[in-house]
Amino acid sequence: MLRSLVGSEMCIRDRDLALVCAAAYSGAVTRTLSPTLLVLELTNRSGDLSIGTGLAVMTAYAVASRIAPSIYRSHELLSIPHMPEMPPNPNLHAADVMSIDVQCVSLTNSRTQVALALGTGTQLWFPCVDQTGHLLGEFFHSDLTDFTLSCSTEEHGHDLGGWVSQQEGSLDRTLCHTHLQLSPNAPAVLVHRVFKMLGPGAVYVTDAGLLKGAIFKQALVTHGYKATLTD
């Protein structure tokens, strides 16, 4: 087939056929057409091999797509934990997929109040808000557990804020300032992209700094599929 495309008068060597086959194999494995450009640029033979290489890669791409998923989706076959794709839905926003029942803590909370929050909430990160509900940052579950198990509350202060002020020298026990805040009107596709690229445990939805809710990974995907099915 390659000889018929480039002309019978042109000599097709075995290494040329091997090069075309390698490009076709690469295109089939990765499900891309870029191996054609790579071969032509590396060999500087855009004249005699361009048509044959392009057709070989496209044919391998089409055949492989009907047999098995791409190598970049092998995690699905191996059941490796991953962030599944969410069908695009322009009518789905952050406010539609966020959870408003998020257990929060405050710097004025006592050890008993923090222990109650730990027993009620199931998340690993607990947002910290002030008296007006504005987001200040977040605490890790283990840090709050250390506070509730501290024996000498007189040394650390009677509230969480006093304990934090005594733990400034320990980086893993200070208040973490979260930068993953989105507007309630942010598209759900943007939220999905944040989870896929950064892998956070939760994304907080705020309006002028006021905490409105939180979005968790599994809830995002579940809401996305339900909204797509009902549209």
Side-chain angles (χ1 to χ4, degrees), residues 200-214:
V203 173
Y204 298 110
V205 180
T206 58
D207 187 6
L210 189 65
L211 181 64
K212 294 295 185 179

Side-chain angles (χ1 to χ4, degrees), residues 21-81:
C21 292
Y25 179 79
S26 179
V29 172
T30 60
R31 299 294 195 280
T32 59
L33 301 178
S34 57
T36 304
L37 299 177
L38 293 176
V39 168
L40 298 180
E41 290 179 359
L42 291 176
T43 60
N44 197 22
R45 297 181 61 183
S46 58
D48 53 346
L49 291 181
S50 57
I51 300 179
T53 305
L55 286 179
V57 172
M58 288 188 290
T59 303
Y61 181 101
V63 173
S65 298
R66 303 180 65 89
I67 298 176
S70 169
I71 189 175
Y72 298 119
R73 297 178 57 189
S74 58
H75 53 269
E76 299 179 4
L77 300 177
L78 300 176
S79 300
I80 300 175

Side-chain angles (χ1 to χ4, degrees), residues 17 27 29 37 56 82 94 99 109 114 117 121 129 131 139 152 182 185 190:
L17 297 176
V29 172
L37 299 177
H82 63 284
S99 174
N109 286 157
V114 173
V129 297
Q131 296 180 352
F139 283 101
S152 55
L182 294 176
N185 297 325
L190 175 61

Side-chain angles (χ1 to χ4, degrees), residues 79-129:
S79 300
I80 300 175
H82 63 284
M83 183 67 183
E85 296 294 334
M86 188 181 69
N89 189 340
N91 299 322
L92 195 63
H93 300 86
D96 302 323
V97 298
M98 73 177 184
S99 174
I100 59 176
D101 299 327
V102 181
Q103 195 66 44
C104 303
V105 295
S106 175
L107 294 178
T108 58
N109 286 157
S110 63
R111 189 169 53 170
T112 303
Q113 291 173 321
V114 173
L116 180 61
L118 291 176
T120 306
T122 58
Q123 66 265 26
L124 293 178
W125 290 90
F126 286 78
C128 180
V129 297

